[in-house]
Amino acid sequence: MNSKSLVSIADISKEQMLDLLARARYFEEHPNSDLLKGKLVATLFFEPSTRTRLSFETAVNRLGGRVIGFSDASTSSTSKGETLKDTIKMVSNYADLIVMRHFLEGAARYATEVTDIPVINAGDGANQHPSQTMLDLYSILKTQGRLDNLTITMVGDLKYGRTVHSLLMAMRYFNPTFRFVAADELRMPAEYRRFCDTEDIAYSEHTEFSEDVINSSDIIYMTRVQRERFSDVMEYEKVKDLYTLRNAMLAGSRPNLRILHPLPRINEIDRDVDDNPKAYYFEQARNGVFARQAIITAALGIDIPKP
Ligand code: CP
């Protein structure tokens, strides 16, 4: 595996994480440059995306690089039966870096094993979404002024939600307290609960999205129930609308509370929350450009100018 890739948030040290956050701040202040002049980034999306693909492509364009790729695998030779290995090897002939979203868990790790160019995991099945985590961390840092000692409530699809899995692992350096709010069918998987136990991270599990939980949170991280991960549509119908955050539920919340959501949302945040200053999900998505500029430049070994 090449060392500049970003496959799992578990692979990066606290120092690397803080460096990426410092880079993101730099790019928020200096969004346009030619740091990627002459570089070509391939975005290979085997699953749908709006934010991740477009913010990666925005990041490359704002850094003066160029983008090739596909947003719909049915238009690539995958539809003729070409293997992932062959696709990655071919694209490695053309590009300096690959950003890839794939429906199979472990696909990004596999890609790093068949190429020498860096691979950024833009989401692999229900497993990991590390670039989302970097923008989530950047959003938390910006809104809370710190990453340490925060109470973070994760709500919704904690079983299939790769963004919550990555964020949970990233927070191991910052002494968080987690609240997991989910139906039994979608509770945080055992491997991540074990991870909390091993890392001495405090957590509690709830099936009720109660006033107590809301009012003692610094961050509420809402998630969509992911229909595409269910093999039985009846199971999805049973749990899809169990938790909806409404503006009235925030009346007693902490002043510093911010509501995050990786988006897209369906019904889990009512539109009446959007104008509450504690709603941060659209700004969060904007932070994705800066976080991804940070990840791309770090992966390509490009230093940012010193102040
Ligand atoms: N947050 C996120 O991954 O959104 P997209 O699926 O639109 O990329």
Side-chain angles (χ1 to χ4, degrees), residues 45 48-53 101 129 132 162-163 262-264:
F45 278 68
S49 167
T50 296
R51 276 145 294 273
T52 308
R53 185 175 65 82
R101 171 171 288 186
H129 195 350
Q132 175 73 41
R162 56 194 175 200
T163 65
L263 304 176

Side-chain angles (χ1 to χ4, degrees), residues 263-274:
L263 304 176
R265 73 169 152 184
I266 309 300
N267 294 320
E268 56 279 2
I269 301 179
D270 194 279
R271 271 60 181 169
D272 74 357
V273 179
D274 292 358

Side-chain angles (χ1 to χ4, degrees), residues 89-247:
K89 287 191 96 59
M90 287 314 307
V91 173
S92 304
N93 289 332
Y94 311 139
D96 299 291
L97 179 143
I98 291 173
V99 175
M100 185 176 84
R101 171 171 288 186
H102 202 282
F103 48 88
L104 286 180
E105 295 185 22
R109 179 82 64 198
Y110 176 72
T112 65
E113 287 165 5
V114 297
T115 181
D116 292 328
I117 68 171
V119 176
I120 309 297
N121 181 5
D124 60 329
N127 186 33
Q128 284 272 319
H129 195 350
S131 69
Q132 175 73 41
T133 300
M134 289 315 305
L135 77 90
D136 291 343
L137 291 177
Y138 186 56
S139 299
I140 294 170
L141 183 60
K142 272 176 71 177
T143 60
Q144 305 298 314
R146 67 186 207 278
L147 290 171
D148 295 287
N149 306 317
L150 294 168
T151 298
I152 300 179
T153 297
M154 296 173 163
V155 185
D157 185 348
L158 307 189
K159 179 178 179 182
Y160 297 117
R162 56 194 175 200
T163 65
V164 290
H165 301 159
S166 291
L167 181 58
L168 180 154
M169 296 184 104
M171 290 303 295
R172 71 194 181 281
Y173 298 129
F174 306 109
N175 192 38
T177 298
F178 284 119
R179 308 265 172 63
F180 301 141
V181 180
D184 287 339
E185 296 90 332
L186 295 178
R187 72 186 284 216
M188 186 61 80
E191 65 179 288
Y192 294 102
R193 285 182 274 126
R194 268 198 303 275
F195 180 87
C196 289
D197 293 335
T198 309
E199 297 288 328
D200 214 12
I201 295 171
Y203 72 89
S204 55
E205 293 187 278
H206 310 259
T207 50
E208 198 188 335
F209 191 20
S210 67
E211 206 173 282
D212 273 359
V213 166
I214 292 171
N215 293 352
S216 56
S217 299
D218 299 306
I219 294 289
I220 294 179
Y221 196 100
M222 300 298 296
T223 63
R224 172 180 68 94
V225 176
Q226 301 187 56
R227 188 181 48 196
E228 64 273 28
R229 311 271 177 236
F230 284 76
S231 48
D232 180 348
V233 77
M234 292 310 289
E235 288 300 309
Y236 167 73
E237 290 294 328
K238 241 170 53 188
V239 293
K240 68 175 188 183
D241 287 328
L242 283 183
Y243 304 106
T244 301
L245 181 63
R246 299 180 199 286
N247 199 38

